[in-house]
Amino acid sequence: MSDQTSRTLLLRSVRPYGEGDPVDVLVVDGIITEIGADAVTRAPDGTDTHDCDGDVLLPGFVDLHTHLREPGREDTETIASGSAAAARGGYTAVFAMANTSPPQDNQTVTDAVWRIGREVGLCDVHPVGAVTVGLAGEQLTEMGQMSSGEAQVTVFSDDGHCVHDPMIMRRALEYSAGLGVLVAQHAEEPRLTPGAVAHEGPTAARLGLTGWPRSAEESIVARDAILARDAGARVHICHASTTGTVELLRWAKAQGIRITAEVTPHHLLLDDSVLESYDGVYRVNPPLRESHDARALRDALVSGVIDCVATDHAPHAEQEKCCEFAAARPGMLGLETALPIVAALLVESGEMTWRDVARVMSSRPAEIAGLPDQGRPIEVGEPANLVVVDPDSPWTVVGEELASLSANTPYEGMEFTARVVGTVHRGRMVVRDGEIVGGGKNA
Ligand code: DOR
Ligand code: ZN
């Protein structure tokens, strides 16, 4: 392809936000320059043209919570394989959590992750900086250095671990307010979860699994809301999982506290009844709760009490999952199945429109993380980070066929109706007909 063709892209017959008659969208040099029935007449010769057959066009998704495992566990995921999974899932930006090995607790590591993400070029990879050195919960990291480095880190989290010491959390929030960055909390009071592997309730009791009570999450959510209030800081709650957390978020937001929250597709869809199989693929932190929790989480996402969907994509090797339940590593794949799950639960049920999906998967997470060129409206003059969704393309999940290096999907064999068929990252089509076609590595 010449430079000219690679800079001009025409999406034919798409429906922005699933609304109205199909239109054509012309993209030049990464910017949307035309939307309309006759955009095709302005497309220069050699334009990369893609027929979308009336599919839904949304702003590219933004994932505030992804584990890419590089550096350290490149046998389970790399920045390249995770970026491919993200692009196939419709994501144009992901936040790579800090619990790598070595952890992303200093500027050298955060800048390295950022640079590799740029080289791969399938989506924007933003490293999350650790809040404490070694994620050990004792000493704050140099957040300022990481935020002023090449990666310009805007989100900090010890995810996988809770910043449980209230004085450390208080100081982290105070510094974050000064720096204009965000602390994202994995809300788990560790003194309430020793040895815990499953939601504390009738199912875990029957199966003989050590329970993880809701109070371990809710006590930290309540505490951090109050600490954020007093520090004048923002705080973000990772993977909200309980009815009580929803109530606390509603209360805190009503007080004017600057708190935001995400929910994972698995906490929206699944509950602890699946644990009857003792299959380690269902072990996750926080654990799958009860069906009323999932219902409350869905309602909270619809109403805006929970701001957005984040995947907590957590690849693990086969030997780490296919073992005794209590020995299995917590975490499940999420990037390539998020949209189909949200569509099945909330769009196909009539609870959300596609515009609402754009809010919870794209614009809200971009706002929360402070990304200026993601989650933007589909309008002339806006950056072309876009996703094409076929709302009616039934497919069956097969872990081995996912782009991730790991296969620990809890949705193996499940059928979904909606599917991501195209992803446009910075004006270039990186996924076409569901397959990776571009990116620095493969271009
Ligand atoms: O299930 C989880 N897996 N929860 C976490 O907080 C961490 C993650 C991981 O890194 O595998
Ligand atoms: Zn977590």
Side-chain angles (χ1 to χ4, degrees):
M1 273 197 287
S2 72
D3 281 358
Q4 175 62 43
T5 54
S6 60
R7 285 204 304 266
T8 311
L9 171 70
L10 181 68
L11 299 176
R12 297 216 63 178
S13 188
V14 278
R15 297 172 61 234
Y17 304 102
E19 297 167 359
D21 292 330
V23 291
D24 297 341
V25 174
L26 183 62
V27 174
V28 179
D29 290 336
I31 303 291
I32 299 173
T33 58
E34 293 265 347
I35 302 176
D38 55 356
V40 62
T41 60
R42 242 111 34 205
D45 284 350
T47 294
D48 180 13
T49 300
H50 186 70
D51 201 331
C52 299
D53 218 12
D55 287 342
V56 176
L57 185 69
L58 299 176
F61 304 143
V62 175
D63 191 8
L64 292 178
H65 195 143
T66 310
H67 296 273
L68 295 185
R69 305 295 190 221
E70 181 177 354
R73 284 303 305 271
E74 292 86 349
D75 59 317
T76 59
E77 199 77 290
T78 63
I79 294 168
S81 67
S83 294
R88 281 181 77 187
Y91 288 89
T92 49
V94 298
F95 284 76
M97 276 298 172
N99 65 339
T100 50
S101 180
Q104 293 164 194
D105 65 358
N106 64 78
Q107 195 200 329
T108 306
V109 183
T110 52
D111 280 354
V113 168
W114 165 256
R115 279 197 292 266
I116 297 169
R118 287 289 292 262
E119 270 167 38
V120 173
L122 290 171
C123 64
D124 294 351
V125 176
H126 295 279
V128 173
V131 175
T132 68
V133 175
L135 291 85
E138 285 163 10
Q139 188 192 338
L140 291 179
T141 57
E142 295 286 355
M143 291 162 57
Q145 271 181 10
M146 289 186 263
S147 76
S148 60
E150 207 182 334
Q152 298 196 0
V153 177
T154 59
V155 179
F156 291 84
S157 181
D158 277 3
D159 181 63
H161 302 272
C162 183
V163 182
H164 62 92
D165 181 321
M167 186 61 96
I168 298 278
M169 187 60 179
R170 178 182 177 180
R171 295 282 178 251
L173 290 170
E174 289 167 351
Y175 281 116
S176 72
L179 291 167
V181 298
L182 178 70
V183 173
Q185 176 71 291
H186 169 117
E188 174 181 359
E189 169 49 73
R191 283 162 296 187
L192 288 171
T193 60
V197 298
H199 166 65
E200 183 182 277
T203 303
R206 195 169 51 253
L207 300 177
L209 299 171
T210 306
W212 206 119
R214 293 187 183 90
S215 56
E217 175 170 305
E218 293 161 6
S219 56
I220 295 292
V221 173
R223 183 201 76 175
D224 287 357
I226 292 164
L227 290 176
R229 178 194 67 191
D230 291 358
R234 297 163 61 210
V235 68
H236 179 76
I237 301 301
C238 296
H239 40 53
S241 75
T242 78
T243 305
T245 290
V246 169
E247 285 160 9
L248 288 163
L249 290 167
R250 187 178 294 116
W251 170 82
K253 287 184 170 192
Q255 312 302 302
I257 295 172
R258 297 163 76 203
I259 193 166
T260 54
E262 67 191 34
V263 62
T264 69
H266 48 270
H267 289 108
L268 292 172
L269 176 65
L270 303 174
D271 60 52
D272 69 351
S273 61
V274 296
L275 267 49
E276 301 282 348
S277 65
Y278 281 106
D279 189 334
V281 80
Y282 299 118
R283 182 164 174 209
V284 67
N285 241 353
L288 300 174
R289 302 286 182 185
E290 295 179 46
S291 59
H292 76 78
D293 296 286
R295 178 73 259 168
L297 294 167
R298 295 197 292 270
D299 292 345
L301 188 65
V302 171
S303 71
V305 169
I306 289 180
D307 296 82
C308 62
V309 173
T311 67
D312 199 1
H313 177 83
H316 288 295
E318 195 176 352
Q319 69 273 14
E320 293 165 339
K321 291 302 265 181
C322 298
C323 55
E324 185 195 340
F325 189 85
R329 291 271 180 99
M332 36 184 68
L333 300 186
L335 286 167
E336 294 171 76
T337 44
L339 180 278
I341 292 172
V342 170
L345 287 174
L346 298 170
V347 181
E348 289 156 32
S349 68
E351 290 171 69
M352 272 193 176
T353 61
W354 288 111
R355 210 171 261 276
D356 295 326
V357 173
R359 169 173 57 87
V360 299
M361 294 188 69
S362 185
S363 59
R364 257 327 260 151
E367 278 167 20
I368 290 168
L371 299 181
D373 55 359
Q374 295 280 347
R376 300 294 306 161
I378 303 174
E379 285 171 12
V380 169
E382 294 290 352
N385 291 306
L386 300 165
V387 54
V388 182
V389 175
D390 186 338
D392 191 13
S393 174
W395 66 291
T396 302
V397 180
V398 179
E400 287 301 330
E401 292 174 3
L402 299 175
S404 177
L405 280 186
S406 296
N408 55 303
T409 174
Y411 315 112
E412 184 75 36
M414 283 178 69
E415 187 170 298
F416 293 104
T417 308
R419 174 164 215 175
V420 169
V421 288
T423 305
V424 177
H425 174 239
R426 296 182 175 270
R428 214 155 41 96
M429 234 177 160
V430 292
V431 170
R432 198 185 291 256
D433 300 325
E435 298 301 332
I436 299 289
V437 289
K441 193 167 159 262
N442 304 313

